[in-house]
C-alpha cells in the first residue's frame, strides 16, 4: 500500500546535499500523511457519493440532523481521545451515560422547578464514575480494559436500579428544553459539541496539560523522568471522560424527555471507532482532537447517508465494521513504517 | 572447507557482520571442541552476543561459514541450528512462566499416548530422571514462575541438553543470579562437559573464567584478540586482551577544577538503595566529573535512579547543594537542580513520538506556562537556544525525535535540561548507541558543562570514557563502592587493570585507596 501511494506521487529528483529540502512537499511526508489519513480520504469520497445519489443529503436541514445526532457522541469521543492518547481505553462511557441520564431524570422529576440541579447531579455522577476508573487504573494499576469493563457492567446495573428496572417518565417540560432549544439558530447540543471540540483542541495543543498527556502516552517512563506526575495525568483523563459522558447523558435524556435505563447502550464502541478512524493510535501518544472530530462526523455522515438511501441497518453495521478494522490496519502499518 | 576434526563440535570461519555502517564482527574464526568449556569474553559491545546469535541461527552474518561436525549450518535459521544440536540459553530467559517445569522441558515435543492425548505421567517421570541426572532437586510439577532465576536457567539448560544439544551456548548466564546459584550452575556445566558437550560461556567476570573455563576466547571491537587454553595465560593477559591499549583522541582535555570548589553539590551519606548489597557514601563537587565504573549489574544505574528519585532509598541522607532531599520523586529532584540522562534512551529518555520542541520543554514545562497556558514564544526561544548550545542537527524544532539519529536524540535528551540551572548532572551510559562522531561532541558537551560549574556523576561501561573524562573514578560492585581512583591513578598505565580488578572482585591485592569513603 505504501508503494502504491508513492507511485501516485510525482517523481522527485533525489536531493543532492546542497539543495534545501522543502519541508511541506517532501515526498515521504505527503505519502506518510496520505497513508496515515487514508481512511479520511476514503470517507470523503463517501460523502461525495451521497451528495451525488441523494438530493436530500446536502440540505441544511439534513446537515443539522447529522450534527444533532453527532453531539452526544462527540462529547464521549473527546474524553475517549484523551484516554486513548495515554494508551488506555474507556469502555464504560455508555453505562455512565445511562447512570447520569437516569440520575438527571430522577432529580428533575423530584425538583421540576430547578432543572439545573438535574444537570449538576448528572455531572457529579459522571465525574464520580470516571474518578473510580481513574483510581483503578492509575493507583491500583488495573489494566484500563478491565477496570472500565467492570464499570460498564456495573454501571448498567446501577442505571436499571435507579429506575427500579423501568424507564423514568413524566418529566417536567423544562427538562426537555435543555436539548431541544435553539440558540443562534443552532440546537444547544450542537453548540456544546462545537465548544467542546474547540476547547479540547486548544487544551491539547496549547496547555502544559495537553503536552503531558501526550508525553505519558508516548513514553510513560520518559515522562516520569522528565518530572511529569504520570499517575495524576492518568487519573485525570478518566475523570474527564466520565464527566463528559455525564454531560452527554443529560443531553440524551433531555432530548427524549425521559430516563430509559438503556440510554447510551453501545455508544462506547462508536466513540472508540471515531477516535481510531481519526488516526489515533491505541498504543498511545498519537492522535488529535481534530482527527477525532472528523472521524466522528464521518461516521455520523455515513449513518445518515445510508439511512437516506434506505440501506438496511445490518448492512450499515457491516460497512462500519470493515471501516474500523481498515483504519486500525492502516495505523498498525504506518507504525511499522516509522520504525 | 576445512577437514573435519572429530574433536571439533562446531567451527566458524571468517564470520563477518555489520549493523548499518558499523562493523560488529570482523572475520572471526573459532573452533569449539567437544567436552570443553570455552569462555567468550570481552567488554560490552565487543560482539559477543552477536556471535552467539549467529551461531544459534538467530542472526544472519554478512559472510563466513559455520560447520557442525562436518555439516554446513544454514544461516539465519534457528530450527536448523537446533536440529544440528546447537542450542542457546539466552540472557533473557524464554521460559513459560505459568507452566510447570516438566511442561517447559517438553513443550514442542510432548510425549503423547496412543490416543493422541498428553501423557503427563510419562513426561513427569522423564523430567524427574533428567533433573536427577543433573543432581538438581526440583519437583517437575513446580510452576516455573515459583523458581528463582538460577533454577529457571538450569531448567532451560537441562531442557536444551535433553533435546540432544552437542553445542550449548550460555549467554551471560550469571548476569541475573546470586552467588549461591552460580555454584549450582557450575555443577551443571561441568556435568555436561563430562558428557562431551561443547559449551560456550559468555562472561567478563574473571572469577567465572577461572572457575569454569578450559579455554578463553576474547573479542575486542569485533576482532578475535585471544584464543588460548586457560592454563597457559594469566589474568593480566586476559584483561589486557579485553581492554586493549588504544588510546583515542576522542576526549577533550579534562577541565581543571575550580581552585575552591566549595561544598560538594551532591552528597550521599550511607544511602542504602533498594536492591543494593550495602550503603553508599560519596560526594561530587562543583566542576567535578566522577565516573562510576563497574560491570553490568554492579548497581550503577540503580544508584543514579535513587539519586533522581525513581528508585527507593531505604536509609541514609541525600544532600543537593547543601540541602537535604526530603521527597524522593523526580519532580523534587528536578526542582533541586538534578538532571538525569537515562541509560535507555528509547525506553526512558525521550518521548520519540513527540517533537524536539515538546521533548525539550517537558522537564521544565512550568517555566513556559502561565496558569497552565503554554507561552509558545518563550518555549520556542529557550528550547531553541538549548538545542543550539549542543549543536543539534535537525530540520527544525517541530521534527519528531524518532526521526533523529541516535547521537542527535541523545543531544535532545541532554539539552532539554539546559533551559534552566542544573547543579547535578547524572549521566547513565551517555554514549550508548551513539556513533563515534557524535560521541566526541557529547564528550565535549559534558566537559563544558562540568567546567561551567555542574557536578557530574557518570556511569559508564566504556572504560575509556571513564579514564578519559573523569576527575575521579568510583568502582562499584553489588551495589557498593569497592574502589576509588583519583586523577593521578587514572592516568597511570595500570588504571584500567585496577578498575577491572575491583569490578570483577579480583581485588585480592588491594591497592591503596585514595579515598576510602563508602567502602563498606
Amino acid at each position: 500500500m505504501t508503494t502504491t501511494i508513492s507511485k501516485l506521487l510525482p517523481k522527485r529528483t533525489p536531493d543532492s546535499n546542497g539543495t534545501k529540502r522543502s519541508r511541506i512537499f517532501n515526498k515521504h511526508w505527503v505519502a506518510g500523511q496520505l497513508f496515515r489519513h487514508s481512511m479520511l480520504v476514503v470517507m470523503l469520497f463517501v460523502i461525495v457519493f451521497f451528495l451525488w445519489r441523494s438530493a436530500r443529503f446536502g440540505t441544511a436541514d439534513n446537515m443539522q440532523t447529522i450534527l444533532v445526532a453527532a453531539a452526544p457522541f462527540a462529547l464521549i469521543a473527546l474524553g475517549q481521545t484523551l484516554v486513548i492518547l495515554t494508551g488506555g481505553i474507556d469502555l464504560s462511557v455508555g453505562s455512565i451515560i445511562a447512570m447520569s441520564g437516569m440520575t438527571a431524570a430522577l432529580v428533575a422529576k423530584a425538583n421540576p422547578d430547578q432543572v439545573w440541579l438535574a444537570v449538576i447531579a448528572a455531572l457529579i455522577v459522571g465525574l464520580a464514575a470516571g474518578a473510580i476508573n481513574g483510581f483503578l487504573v492509575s493507583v491500583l494499576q488495573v489494566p484500563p480494559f478491565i477496570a472500565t469493563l467492570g464499570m460498564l457492567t456495573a454501571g448498567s446495573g446501577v442505571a436499571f436500579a435507579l429506575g427500579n428496572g423501568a424507564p423514568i417518565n413524566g418529566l417536567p417540560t423544562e427538562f426537555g428544553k435543555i436539548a431541544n432549544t435553539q440558540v443562534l439558530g443552532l440546537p444547544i447540543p450542537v453548540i456544546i459539541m462545537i465548544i467542546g471540540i474547540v476547547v479540547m483542541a486548544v487544551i491539547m495543543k496549547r496547555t502544559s496539560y495537553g503536552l503531558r498527556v501526550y508525553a505519558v502516552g508516548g513514553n510513560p517512563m520518559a515522562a516520569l523522568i522528565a518530572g511529569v506526575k504520570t499517575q495524576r495525568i492518568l487519573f485525570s483523563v478518566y475523570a474527564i471522560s466520565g464527566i463528559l459522558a455525564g454531560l452527554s447523558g443529560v443531553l440524551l435524556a433531555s432530548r427524549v424527555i425521559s430516563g430509559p435505563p438503556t440510554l447510551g447502550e453501545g455508544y462506547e464502541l462508536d466513540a472508540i471507532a471515531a477516535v481510531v478512524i481519526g488516526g489515533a493510535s491505541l498504543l498511545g501518544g498519537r492522535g488529535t482532537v481534530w482527527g477525532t472530530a472528523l472521524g466522528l462526523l464521518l461516521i455520523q455522515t455515513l449513518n445518515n447517508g445510508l439511512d437516506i438511501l434506505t440501506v438496511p441497518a445490518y448492512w450499515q453495521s457491516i460497512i462500519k465494521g470493515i471501516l474500523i478494522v481498515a483504519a486500525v490496519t492502516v495505523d498498525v502499518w504506518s507504525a511499522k513504517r516509522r520504525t | 572447507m576445512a577437514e573435519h576434526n572429530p574433536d571439533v563440535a562446531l567451527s566458524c570461519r571468517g564470520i563477518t557482520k555489520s549493523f548499518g555502517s558499523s562493523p560488529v564482527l570482523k572475520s572471526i574464526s573459532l573452533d569449539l571442541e567437544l567436552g570443553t568449556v570455552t569462555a567468550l569474553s570481552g567488554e560490552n559491545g565487543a560482539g559477543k552476543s552477536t556471535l552467539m546469535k549467529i551461531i544459534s541461527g538467530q542472526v544472519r552474518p554478512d559472510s563466513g561459514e559455520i560447520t557442525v561436525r562436518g555439516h554446513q549450518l544454514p544461516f539465519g535459521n534457528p530450527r536448523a541450528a537446533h536440529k544440528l544440536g546447537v542450542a542457546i540459553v539466552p540472557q533473557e530467559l524464554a521460559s513459560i512462566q505459568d507452566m510447570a517445569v516438566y511442561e517447559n522441558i517438553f513443550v514442542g515435543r510432548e510425549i503423547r499416548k496412543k490416543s493422541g492425548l498428553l501423557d503427563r505421567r510419562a513426561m513427569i517421570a522423564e523430567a524427574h530422571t533428567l533433573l536427577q541426572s543433573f543432581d538438581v532437586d526440583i519437583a517437575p510439577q513446580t510452576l516455573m514462575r515459583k523458581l528463582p532465576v538460577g533454577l529457571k536457567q538450569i531448567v532451560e539448560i537441562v531442557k536444551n541438553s535433553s533435546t540432544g544439544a552437542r553445542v550449548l551456548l550460555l549467554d551471560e548466564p550469571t548476569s541475573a543470579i546470586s552467588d549461591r546459584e552460580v555454584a549450582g550452575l557450575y555443577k551443571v556445566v561441568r556435568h555436561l562437559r563430562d558428557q562431551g558437550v561443547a559449551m560456550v560461556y559468555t562472561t567478563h567476570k574473571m572469577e567465572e573464567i577461572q572457575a569454569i573455563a578450559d579455554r578463553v576466547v576474547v573479542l575486542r571491537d569485533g576482532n578475535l584478540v585471544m584464543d588460548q587454553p586457560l592454563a597457559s595465560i594469566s589474568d593480566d593477559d586476559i584483561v589486557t586482551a579485553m581492554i586493549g591499549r588504544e588510546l583515542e583522541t576522542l576526549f577533550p582535555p579534562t577541565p581543571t577544577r575550580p581552585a575552591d570548589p566549595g561544598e560538594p553539590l551532591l552528597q550521599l551519606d550511607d544511602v542504602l538503595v533498594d536492591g543494593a548489597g550495602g550503603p553508599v557514601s560519596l560526594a561530587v563537587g562543583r566542576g567535578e566529573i566522577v565516573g562510576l565504573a563497574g560491570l553490568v549489574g554492579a548497581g550503577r544505574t540503580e544508584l543514579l535512579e535513587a539519586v533522581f528519585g525513581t528508585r527507593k532509598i531505604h536509609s541514609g541522607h541525600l544532600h543537593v547543594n547543601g540541602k537535604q532531599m526530603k521527597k524522593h520523586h523526580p519532580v523534587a529532584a528536578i526542582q533541586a537542580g538534578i538532571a538525569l540522562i537515562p541509560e535507555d534512551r528509547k525506553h526512558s529518555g525521550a518521548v520519540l513520538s513527540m517533537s524536539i520542541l515538546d521533548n525539550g520543554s517537558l522537564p521544565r514545562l512550568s517555566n513556559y506556562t502561565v496558569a497552565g497556558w503554554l507561552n509558545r514564544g518563550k518555549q520556542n526561544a529557550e528550547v531553541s537556544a538549548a538545542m543550539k548550545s549542543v549543536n543539534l542537527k535537525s530540520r527544525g524544532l517541530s521534527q519528531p525525535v524518532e526521526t533523529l539519529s541516535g547521537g542527535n536524540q541523545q543531544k535532545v535528551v541532554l539539552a532539554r535540561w539546559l533551559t534552566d540551572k542544573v547543579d547535578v548532572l547524572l549521566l547513565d551510559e551517555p554514549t550508548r548507541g551513539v556513533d563515534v562522531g557524535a560521541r566526541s561532541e557529547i564528550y565535549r558537551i559534558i566537559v563544558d558543562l562540568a567546567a561551567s560549574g555542574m557536578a557530574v556523576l557518570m556511569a559508564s561501561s566504556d572504560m575509556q570514557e571513564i579514564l578519559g573524562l573523569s576527575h575521579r573514578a568510583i568502582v562499584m560492585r553489588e551495589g557498593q563502592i569497592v574502589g576509588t581512583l583519583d586523577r593521578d591513578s587514572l592516568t597511570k598505565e595500570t588504571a584500567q587493570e585496577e578498575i577491572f580488578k575491583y569490578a570483577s572482585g579480583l581485588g585480592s591485592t588491594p591497592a591503596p585507596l585514595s579515598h576510602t569513603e563508602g567502602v563498606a
Side-chain angles (χ1 to χ4, degrees), chain A residues 202-245:
Chain A
V202 169
I203 287 177
M204 294 313 289
K205 203 80 192 162
R206 299 301 303 267
T207 69
S208 54
Y209 176 77
L211 207 110
R212 289 186 172 126
V213 169
Y214 277 103
V216 168
N219 188 339
M221 195 60 207
L224 180 74
I225 285 180
V228 176
K229 291 168 178 157
T230 47
Q231 274 198 347
R232 219 178 268 190
I233 296 287
L234 274 183
F235 176 83
S236 72
V237 294
Y238 289 94
I240 290 173
S241 178
I243 200 169
L244 287 173

Side-chain angles (χ1 to χ4, degrees), chain B residues 264-427:
Chain B
L265 284 180
L266 174 70
Q267 191 173 342
L268 277 67
D269 298 308
D270 290 324
V271 169
L272 182 59
V273 179
D274 188 36
V280 167
S281 299
L282 62 85
V284 187
R286 190 172 290 282
E288 188 180 27
I289 302 176
V290 172
L292 278 180
L295 300 171
V296 171
R300 294 165 298 164
T301 297
E302 290 77 4
L303 181 65
L304 295 182
E305 286 173 352
V307 172
F308 195 70
T310 50
R311 180 173 287 264
K312 217 172 139 190
I313 292 177
H314 290 300
S315 62
H317 300 292
L318 181 61
H319 285 85
V320 174
N321 211 351
K323 271 187 242 158
Q324 187 176 342
M325 295 288 297
K326 297 228 168 64
K327 273 202 216 156
H328 290 290
H329 190 275
V331 177
I334 293 168
Q335 268 164 5
I338 308 181
L340 171 68
I341 319 297
E343 178 181 15
D344 186 339
R345 198 165 49 237
K346 289 204 167 79
H347 177 245
S348 48
V351 183
L352 295 177
S353 54
M354 298 201 317
S355 66
I356 297 170
L357 179 69
D358 289 347
N359 268 287
S361 48
L362 200 54
R364 307 202 188 283
L365 259 185
S366 50
N367 286 3
Y368 316 114
T369 48
V370 179
W373 197 261
L374 280 174
N375 179 344
R376 285 283 185 194
K378 192 177 178 209
Q379 191 190 4
N380 254 306
E382 295 197 359
V383 172
S384 167
M387 295 301 156
K388 237 177 225 145
S389 78
V390 296
N391 198 12
L392 180 79
K393 289 180 196 72
S394 71
R395 296 199 305 265
L397 290 182
S398 59
Q399 189 181 349
V401 170
E402 63 198 339
T403 58
L404 295 170
S405 71
N408 278 307
Q409 286 182 357
Q410 189 70 330
K411 284 183 186 173
V412 172
V413 174
L414 212 160
R416 62 190 184 143
W417 296 106
L418 305 180
T419 56
D420 205 344
K421 193 170 152 53
V422 172
D423 281 329
V424 176
L425 181 62
L426 308 173
L427 300 164

Side-chain angles (χ1 to χ4, degrees), chain B residues 165-181:
Chain B
R166 302 304 290 163
V167 178
L168 192 55
L169 313 171
L170 308 176
D171 195 1
E172 305 235 4
T174 57
S175 60
I177 67 179
S178 69
D179 285 351
R180 203 157 35 87
E181 293 173 323

Side-chain angles (χ1 to χ4, degrees), chain B residues 91-160:
Chain B
Q91 204 171 345
E92 304 281 333
L93 293 178
S95 41
I96 304 162
Q97 300 293 336
D98 288 314
M99 280 169 54
V101 167
Y102 77 91
E103 289 171 314
N104 266 281
I105 291 178
F106 287 103
V107 68
R109 52 188 184 101
E110 301 84 357
I111 303 177
R112 290 200 184 88
K113 294 181 196 160
K114 272 187 192 136
S115 58
L117 297 175
L118 290 178
D119 190 347
R120 288 185 187 270
R121 193 171 296 169
M123 286 193 277
I124 293 172
E126 181 86 355
H128 187 73
T129 359
L130 262 173
L131 292 165
Q132 284 296 309
S133 75
F134 281 91
D135 211 3
V136 182
D137 191 23
I138 312 172
Q141 294 97 325
T142 319
L143 266 193
M144 205 67 172
R145 182 180 297 287
K146 299 216 167 124
L147 296 180
V149 184
L151 283 181
K152 278 182 199 164
Q153 194 170 45
I154 287 175
V155 171
E156 286 287 306
I157 295 172
V158 169
K159 170 185 158 186
N160 279 307

Side-chain angles (χ1 to χ4, degrees), chain B residues 67-78:
Chain B
T67 50
V68 183
R69 280 167 292 137
H71 302 280
Q72 187 150 352
L73 187 79
F75 287 136
N77 185 343

